[in-house]
Amino acid sequence: MPGKHVRFADENTFYSPAPSTPSPSHSISSLPSSSGPLTPPQNEFKLLYSPSKIPASPLPSGFVAIHPLLAFDPFVQPTPYILAQPPHTIKYTSALAESATTPPLPRLTLLSPALPWALVIDANTDADGKVGAKGMGFVTVWQVLEALYRFLRRPVTTAEYASLPSDVARAHVGEAFHARWSSVRGKDESREEYSKGVKRVDFLMEKLRFMGLSCTKQGPDVWTLNVA
């Protein structure tokens, strides 16, 4: 209810230089057994987040705030967005074209305890991941939402699926996969979605509501994705 919720602004929506640097973790606990098509085995699973994979560029040394449309609040969804749906389902406002942070940043890295991958969003990379896109020079709110959707639509390899911590976790991801493709309208469309196999979004299971980004204290450009 308006006026009733607690926002935790200083803790969750601002980055401030501090010695505390907790490490990201991948933990899905108590995650039936169902199976779904997976992509063929590829390279061994690796956690994609590492400082060496993030392009070097100047970053602010002071406070960095996340945009209100992206800011985490434990009780209020900042933007009415479901991560399994394309971002054009969101009603467009000019605020979506604004910088994702204050001051503006050329890149953001998003982490999630439910995902073994990190998403690096570069302002100079277009929606297809091609470098050299002519943009604003900073990451926008829209870029964050669009990048999240594309990132979560990527297929999961057998190695990544096997990296889940337990059979129970794998079963729950399998259930999420079956719930997703079976919810697609149209027999042909549903069958096509099934044929594409498990995707990263299935690792979130039923938690598909975007609840914003919160500070990690790992740097002004590294934020945690919250879902519900």
Side-chain angles (χ1 to χ4, degrees):
M1 296 175 59
K4 296 287 187 179
H5 63 274
V6 180
R7 187 156 180 84
F8 308 114
D10 290 340
E11 179 180 354
N12 293 312
T13 65
F14 286 86
Y15 164 82
S16 60
S20 175
T21 55
S23 300
S25 62
H26 170 216
S27 59
I28 302 180
S29 58
S30 66
L31 283 188
S33 171
S34 50
S35 60
L38 295 167
T39 54
Q42 299 180 17
N43 295 333
E44 287 300 314
F45 161 76
K46 293 181 180 180
L47 181 67
L48 297 185
Y49 170 73
S50 68
S52 63
K53 288 185 179 292
I54 300 178
S57 61
L59 293 172
S61 57
F63 289 91
V64 173
I66 202 75
H67 194 284
L69 289 179
L70 299 175
F72 170 68
D73 187 299
F75 305 107
V76 179
Q77 190 176 17
T79 299
Y81 179 48
I82 301 300
L83 291 166
Q85 300 175 0
H88 64 68
T89 57
I90 302 171
K91 182 179 179 180
Y92 180 81
T93 68
S94 59
L96 293 173
E98 294 175 357
S99 174
T101 58
T102 302
L105 295 179
R107 70 172 185 270
L108 288 177
T109 296
L110 307 188
L111 308 175
S112 168
L115 301 172
W117 313 276
L119 169 59
V120 178
I121 307 170
D122 194 310
N124 297 314
T125 300
D126 64 17
D128 295 318
K130 296 179 181 179
V131 179
K134 294 181 180 180
M136 302 292 291
F138 54 82
V139 177
T140 66
V141 174
W142 176 257
Q143 281 181 307
V144 170
L145 299 177
E146 185 180 53
L148 266 172
Y149 174 71
R150 289 177 175 269
F151 174 75
L152 293 172
R153 290 289 296 176
R154 292 179 186 175
V156 170
T157 67
T158 51
E160 290 168 340
Y161 185 70
S163 74
L164 286 163
S166 68
D167 289 339
V168 174
R170 285 183 282 275
H172 277 289
V173 169
E175 280 191 335
F177 161 66
H178 285 289
R180 178 172 55 79
W181 72 259
S182 61
S183 67
V184 176
R185 294 184 178 181
K187 185 176 181 179
D188 291 340
E189 291 82 358
S190 179
R191 184 176 300 170
E192 180 182 0
E193 190 65 23
Y194 176 84
S195 69
K196 293 178 181 178
V198 176
K199 297 183 183 297
R200 290 178 174 180
V201 68
D202 298 322
F203 275 48
L204 297 176
M205 296 169 287
E206 77 285 359
K207 296 183 178 181
L208 298 175
R209 283 198 302 148
F210 175 72
M211 294 300 290
L213 308 178
S214 55
C215 176
T216 64
K217 300 301 182 182
Q218 295 183 50
D221 59 329
V222 185
W223 296 77
T224 294
L225 168 66
N226 297 276
V227 295

